[in-house]
């Protein structure tokens, strides 16, 4: 079994990833919530990640009083540097499908009619992903997104599909998305790319 550290373990995706990893018998460290490890602090990341085989990052900020524009790129840099320092080579990070170019080469967030109120959060996610792409040579990272959105009430079916593109109207349960996260953490099949899960 593996040792997996989950950043953002207090959120819905993080909790689902922790549950899925423990269901399989992995040793899991929960980090980055309720005053625990700050995912934006390289030293804190390195300290908590030491001795682990892989990391899952589900940490995010949203809403009043938060600054996603600095959170996501800062967290990406701290994770890359901290994990490399700790000798953890695998990072599976949760992202947004709207920051990925579609079959026409245009990101959904750049398309006409995209809701302006969501754009700052999406741009912040995109800047975090850009850090992974441009600075992530020392870590075997993967950026996974639900193809459309989460089905908050959805049950665990045990099935999912990973691909380049998908139907943006699709929904996936947190539990099924967590299966994909843990699969890629424990047995990497995809490397240094952005894929969508449905």
């Amino acid at each position: 079994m593996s040792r997996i550290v989950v950043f953002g373990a207090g959120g819905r995706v993080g909790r689902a990833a922790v549950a899925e990893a423990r269901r399989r018998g992995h040793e899991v460290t929960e980090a980055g919530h309720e005053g625990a490890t700050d995912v934006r602090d390289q030293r804190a990341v390195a300290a908590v990640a030491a001795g682990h085989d892989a990391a899952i990052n589900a940490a995010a900020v949203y809403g009043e009083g938060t600054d996603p524009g600095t959170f996501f790129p800062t967290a990406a840099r701290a994770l890359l540097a901290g994990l490399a320092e700790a000798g953890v080579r695998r990072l599976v990070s949760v992202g947004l499908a709207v920051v990925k170019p579609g079959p026409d080469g245009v990101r959904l967030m750049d398309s006409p009619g995209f809701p302006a109120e969501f754009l700052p959060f999406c741009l912040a996610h995109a800047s975090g992903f850009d850090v992974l792409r441009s600075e992530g040579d020392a870590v075997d990272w993967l950026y996974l997104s639900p193809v459309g959105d989460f089905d908050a009430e959805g049950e665990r079916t045990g099935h999912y599909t990973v691909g380049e593109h998908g139907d943006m109207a699709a929904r996936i349960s947190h539990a099924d998305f967590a299966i994909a996260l843990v699969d890629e953490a424990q047995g990497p099949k995809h490397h240094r790319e952005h894929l969508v899960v449905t």
Side-chain angles (χ1 to χ4, degrees), residues 65-78:
T66 66
D67 182 8
T70 58
F71 177 85
F72 290 103
T74 303
R77 285 191 179 93

Side-chain angles (χ1 to χ4, degrees), residues 22-89:
R22 287 188 173 145
R23 188 186 70 79
R24 301 187 196 190
H26 297 304
E27 182 179 337
V28 181
T29 298
E30 299 179 49
H33 68 100
E34 296 179 1
T37 306
D38 186 346
V39 74
R40 297 166 296 179
D41 182 333
Q42 174 185 336
R43 290 180 180 171
V45 168
V48 75
H52 289 77
D53 302 298
I56 293 172
N57 176 36
V61 294
Y62 189 80
E64 188 175 342
T66 66
D67 182 8
T70 58
F71 177 85
F72 290 103
T74 303
R77 285 191 179 93
L79 282 163
L80 291 172
L83 293 175
E85 180 182 334
V88 178
R89 296 295 174 223

Side-chain angles (χ1 to χ4, degrees), residues 96-108 129 133 141-148 160-168 184 189-198:
L96 297 178
V98 297
V99 310
K100 181 177 176 57
D104 60 358
V106 177
R107 300 181 302 184
L108 181 61
F129 175 59
R133 285 193 308 179
W141 58 268
L142 178 66
Y143 193 78
L144 284 182
S145 305
V147 71
Y160 69 89
T161 301
V162 174
E164 288 287 334
H165 305 288
D167 179 1
M168 291 301 292
E184 285 289 346
K189 295 182 180 67
H190 304 92
H191 309 275
R192 296 190 175 95
E193 59 183 324
H194 181 185
L195 296 174
V196 295
V197 184
T198 187

Side-chain angles (χ1 to χ4, degrees), residues 111-139:
S111 61
F114 188 81
E117 64 269 26
F118 299 136
L119 194 56
F121 184 70
C122 297
L123 287 169
H125 257 285
S127 64
F129 175 59
D130 287 343
V131 169
L132 290 179
R133 285 193 308 179
S134 62
E135 303 176 25
D137 290 344
V139 174

Side-chain angles (χ1 to χ4, degrees), residues 144-190:
L144 284 182
S145 305
V147 71
D149 200 356
F150 289 109
D151 177 359
E153 306 302 321
E155 299 293 327
R156 185 184 190 278
T157 69
H159 303 287
Y160 69 89
T161 301
V162 174
E164 288 287 334
H165 305 288
D167 179 1
M168 291 301 292
R171 298 292 180 264
I172 187 170
S173 69
H174 291 94
D176 283 342
F177 187 74
I179 297 172
L181 293 174
V182 177
D183 280 352
E184 285 289 346
Q186 72 177 26
K189 295 182 180 67
H190 304 92

